[in-house]
Amino acid sequence: MAHTPLTQQIAANWRETIREDLRALSDRDLRRRLRTLSGAQGPVMRFEGREVIHLAGNNYLGLADHPLLAAAAAEAAQRWGASAAASPLISGHMEPHETLSRNIARLKDKESALLFGSGFLANAGLIPALAGEGDAVFSDRLNHASIAAGCRLSRAQVQIFAHNDMNDLEDLLKKASGARRRLIAVDSVFSMDGDLAPLGDLADLAERYDAILLVDEAHATGVLGPRGSGAAARLGVQERVGVSMGTLGKALASYGAFACSNGEVIDYLVNLARTFIYSTALPPAALAAAGAALDLAAGEEGDRRRERLAVLCRRFRAGLERIGFGPPPVVDSADVPIFPIIVGGVAEALRLADHMLAAGVFLLAIRPPTVPEGTSRLRATLMATHTDAQIDAALDAIESGARKLGLGAR
C-alpha cells in the first residue's frame, strides 16, 4: 500500500510524540535503561567487564545459582520438553504443574494452588476475578504496581487507604457497606521499604466487614515464617488469609507465581482469572527449578540460609544506623532483607548509585513513579550467600558516597 504525504506526516507526528516524551523523562532524570550483567545471579556478578558486589536483586536465599536447581531444570526439559505450549485449560496443565501446585498449597497450609506466568500477571488476574462492578477493593497506598493494575482492571470501586493505617481502612470499609463484595489487597512485605503489613489487624477488619483478604507474599515467601511459608504464617494469621499470592522468581529462584486458597476459590479463579485462562502455562524447566528451591527452602538448608540471612540483615542494619540512614523498624523480630537508603531527590540518588558502581557495588537508584516524589533511594537487598566482607564493603561505599556527595541521611 502506497504511503501518502498525509500518512507519512501522521507517522512522523506519532514518532515525534514518543521522542518528546523520552526527552521529558531525560530532562527529569527519570529515563531508565537496561543494564546487562554477566554470570549467574549471585553475590558477585560482572558488569561492564569487572566484578561487582550484587545488592540489587531479589535472590534472598541465594538459590539462583544452586546446582540442584539447574540440574532439576535440565532434567525436566529433557523429560517434558521446553514448553507447555498451551494455556492451562487447553493442554498446558501438565504433571509438573500439578505437582508444584500441590506442594505450594501444602507450604501455605491451603487446600489448593493455581500457577500464573508472573507475579504481575497473578495480581492483574486475581483482583478483577474476585471483584468487579458493584464490588469494592481496598488497596494500601504503597502496594506493588501489579496490585494497582489489578485494581484498575477490576471495574470495582477502588479505595486507597493510607499506608498501614487501619483507622483509614476501617472508615473506608464502613462507607462501602452497600458493596456486593469487599476485597482488601495488601503486600505482606512492601518491596520498596521492607516494612510489614499489620496482617493481624487486617484479618480482624476483613472478618468484621465480611471482606476477602488478599495478601501478596512475593517478598516474604521463602524468607519469613516456618519453612519459609511467609509473613502471614510468621504472624499467626495464615488461616485467616482468604487468598495467599506469591512469586517463584525471588527467594524461590525460578519464574512464575501462585495463588493459594480453599478449593472453591481456586475453582472460581480457574474459571474467571483471565491472565491464567489466556496465558501459556509455565515451562516445565521453571517448574522443576521452583520445586527444587521449594524443597530446599522448606527444609534444613532453608533454615540454615534464613539464619544466615538474618545475621547479615542485622549487620547491615547496624551499619546503616551508624551511617545515619535509618532502616524501617523491625516487626515481630522479622529480619527483612530489603533496605531503603532514602536520599530524597532524583539527581542525588543517581549520583550515589554512580558512586556505588565506581566503588564496585551494583546498587541502583529507585525513582518516581516507583516510589513517591521526594523519596528517591537506593534499594539494597541481601542474599544469604553474601559474605561479611561484602556487606562491610558495601557499607563503606555508602558511607563514603554520602560524605563525598554531601547527602543528608533521612
Side-chain angles (χ1 to χ4, degrees), residues 267-279:
D267 184 36
Y268 182 84
L269 293 171
V270 165
N271 285 275
L272 291 172
R274 293 170 66 85
T275 56
F276 169 81
I277 297 168
Y278 298 109
S279 294

Side-chain angles (χ1 to χ4, degrees), residues 28-57:
R28 298 168 59 202
D29 288 327
L30 297 179
R31 187 168 178 177
R32 310 180 201 192
R33 64 182 178 85
L34 292 171
R35 295 169 175 83
T36 302
L37 289 94
S38 300
Q41 291 284 330
V44 175
M45 299 185 71
R46 293 191 68 82
F47 179 67
E48 295 182 345
R50 62 193 183 98
E51 286 192 343
V52 290
I53 298 170
H54 182 22
L55 284 180

Side-chain angles (χ1 to χ4, degrees), residues 33-395:
R33 64 182 178 85
L34 292 171
R35 295 169 175 83
T36 302
L37 289 94
S38 300
Q41 291 284 330
V44 175
M45 299 185 71
R46 293 191 68 82
F47 179 67
E48 295 182 345
R50 62 193 183 98
E51 286 192 343
V52 290
I53 298 170
H54 182 22
L55 284 180
N58 300 314
N59 181 26
Y60 302 125
L61 296 183
L63 295 176
D65 59 352
H66 197 291
L68 288 181
L69 271 68
E75 181 182 352
Q78 288 291 333
R79 181 176 179 184
W80 285 295
S83 173
S87 59
L89 287 174
I90 302 300
S91 63
H93 189 72
M94 301 165 68
E95 187 178 334
H97 297 83
E98 182 65 21
T99 298
L100 183 60
S101 296
R102 288 178 178 175
N103 290 339
I104 290 173
R106 190 176 302 117
L107 177 74
K108 292 290 185 178
D109 291 323
K110 300 293 185 185
E111 290 179 4
S112 300
L114 197 64
L115 299 175
F116 289 83
S118 70
F120 202 105
L121 286 173
N123 283 330
L126 289 171
I127 295 171
L130 293 169
E133 197 167 347
D135 300 329
V137 180
F138 305 86
S139 176
D140 189 288
R141 185 170 299 281
L142 295 188
N143 273 342
H144 190 266
S146 59
I147 295 179
C151 289
R152 285 194 294 270
L153 290 169
S154 70
R155 299 173 65 192
Q157 182 185 25
V158 178
Q159 301 285 350
I160 308 299
F161 60 92
H163 179 52
N164 281 349
D165 188 332
M166 296 301 96
N167 291 327
D168 190 26
L169 173 57
E170 184 164 20
D171 288 344
L172 294 172
L173 285 164
K174 288 177 181 176
K175 294 173 183 175
S177 59
R180 183 185 69 117
R181 186 184 296 164
R182 285 160 292 281
L183 172 67
I184 302 170
V186 294
D187 288 318
S188 65
V189 172
F190 291 89
S191 61
M192 290 296 116
D193 291 276
D195 57 337
L196 271 66
L199 294 180
D201 294 337
L202 285 159
D204 290 343
L205 288 175
E207 290 165 2
R208 190 176 308 153
Y209 292 94
D210 188 29
I212 305 165
L213 179 58
L214 167 63
V215 178
D216 182 335
E217 296 260 51
H219 294 273
T221 300
V223 177
L224 300 178
R227 301 176 296 136
S229 49
R234 182 185 180 97
L235 298 173
V237 297
Q238 182 70 288
E239 72 283 355
R240 302 169 67 193
V241 172
V243 179
S244 178
M245 173 269 174
T247 62
L248 307 176
K250 294 179 174 59
L252 297 183
S254 181
Y255 190 73
F258 60 83
C260 300
S261 189
N262 64 43
E264 190 173 49
V265 171
I266 295 302
D267 184 36
Y268 182 84
L269 293 171
V270 165
N271 285 275
L272 291 172
R274 293 170 66 85
T275 56
F276 169 81
I277 297 168
Y278 298 109
S279 294
T280 298
L282 287 165
L287 299 166
L294 195 67
D295 289 344
L296 289 170
E300 292 182 3
E301 177 70 9
D303 289 340
R304 184 185 69 78
R305 290 187 180 231
R306 279 184 289 276
E307 289 172 6
R308 172 61 181 162
L309 185 59
V311 169
L312 292 172
C313 285
R314 290 192 285 271
R315 189 183 191 96
F316 197 69
R317 174 180 292 275
L320 288 180
E321 289 173 346
R322 174 181 55 79
I323 295 167
F325 288 104
V330 176
V331 176
D332 192 50
S333 302
D335 290 296
V336 175
I338 300 171
F339 295 90
I341 302 163
I342 300 175
V343 298
V346 173
E348 290 86 348
L350 289 170
R351 286 201 299 269
L352 183 56
D354 287 343
H355 170 86
M356 296 299 293
L357 190 56
V361 182
F362 193 82
L363 182 54
L364 304 181
I366 307 295
R367 299 161 281 171
T370 303
V371 295
E373 292 285 349
T375 69
S376 291
R377 67 197 65 187
L378 275 60
R379 174 185 179 267
T381 50
L382 311 188
M383 58 188 82
T385 45
H386 277 122
T387 66
D388 291 354
Q390 289 164 349
I391 296 300
D392 291 345
L395 288 167

